[in-house]
Amino acid sequence: MIASKLKPGDEVRVIAPSRNLTEVRQDVHHHAVDFWRKEGFNLTFSKNSREVGKFHSSSIASRVEDIHEAFSDPNVKMVITCLGGFNCNQLLRHLDYDLIAKNPKILCGFSDITALNNAIYAKTGLVTYHGPHYGTFAFDQGTEYTRKAFFDCVTIDAPSWLHLLNQR
């Protein structure tokens, strides 16, 4: 199952299933918000993304609530993580995989988020994206390839390599 591709104006929800948003430097956060908005997307943040608990994460219940809220909100078209960490695996047995399967969305993140990506794919068949966190787009240098590859994957129906061949 592949979620619908992203279009300008779509809502992108930032969630924090590992470390929380307070771990992102303020200058990086503001620059990332500006980037997403300049690209034409409506960037929103999960309710508990700034909650601080053990291991710089919010509680398990809060993180699960944010994931369920993002997937159940019909306005959200993509869910992107704020950071990795090392405790995302705590969430896996608490997720409502039926809810996620009934509301397919693009989910993107890496590092610790790989556990979440793999569990969702294994339990629902939803293709997830092992790719940049939202803050990655705050950096101006060295990210051109990442930005292009990312947006090709989440906005173009044809595989990225096929799109490039058609441009010749």
Side-chain angles (χ1 to χ4, degrees):
M1 171 177 24
I2 298 175
S4 298
K5 298 297 183 174
L6 212 55
K7 298 183 295 299
D10 282 348
E11 182 175 340
V12 174
R13 176 76 49 88
V14 178
I15 62 169
S18 287
R19 287 185 291 167
N20 65 40
L21 195 56
T22 64
E23 294 292 306
V24 176
R25 286 189 348 238
Q26 283 302 300
D27 62 318
V28 171
H29 172 65
H30 292 301
H31 195 82
V33 168
D34 289 344
F35 171 83
W36 282 95
R37 293 201 171 129
K38 285 178 186 169
E39 289 296 313
F41 299 104
N42 177 20
L43 192 65
T44 59
F45 296 87
S46 62
K47 178 174 87 172
N48 300 301
S49 61
R50 290 187 172 278
E51 181 183 309
V52 179
K54 281 185 172 181
F55 310 114
H56 304 281
S57 298
S58 60
S59 69
I60 292 171
S62 292
R63 288 180 283 154
V64 168
E65 176 187 16
D66 285 350
I67 291 168
H68 289 164
E69 167 60 28
F71 274 92
S72 63
D73 186 336
N75 295 317
V76 174
K77 303 303 180 196
M78 178 180 161
V79 181
I80 193 166
T81 56
C82 107
L83 285 171
F86 48 85
N87 56 352
C88 188
N89 61 322
Q90 297 173 321
L91 312 178
L92 304 182
R93 66 183 171 159
H94 302 285
L95 293 176
D96 183 343
Y97 292 101
D98 289 334
L99 174 117
I100 293 168
K102 290 176 185 168
N103 300 282
K105 311 212 184 268
I106 296 168
L107 171 65
C108 186
F110 72 101
S111 186
D112 183 44
I113 307 306
T114 304
L116 181 62
N117 285 340
N118 288 341
I120 287 175
Y121 177 71
K123 297 280 192 172
T124 68
L126 175 62
V127 171
T128 60
Y129 295 78
H130 186 268
H133 299 299
Y134 104 101
T136 303
F137 298 96
F139 303 105
D140 292 326
Q141 296 181 2
T143 60
E144 297 82 16
Y145 177 82
T146 299
R147 288 177 180 182
K148 175 157 182 23
F150 172 79
F151 281 108
D152 280 356
C153 285
V154 300
T155 63
I156 298 171
D157 284 325
S160 183
W161 59 269
L162 184 59
H163 173 69
L164 294 174
L165 286 176
N166 289 335
Q167 289 182 346
R168 289 183 152 188

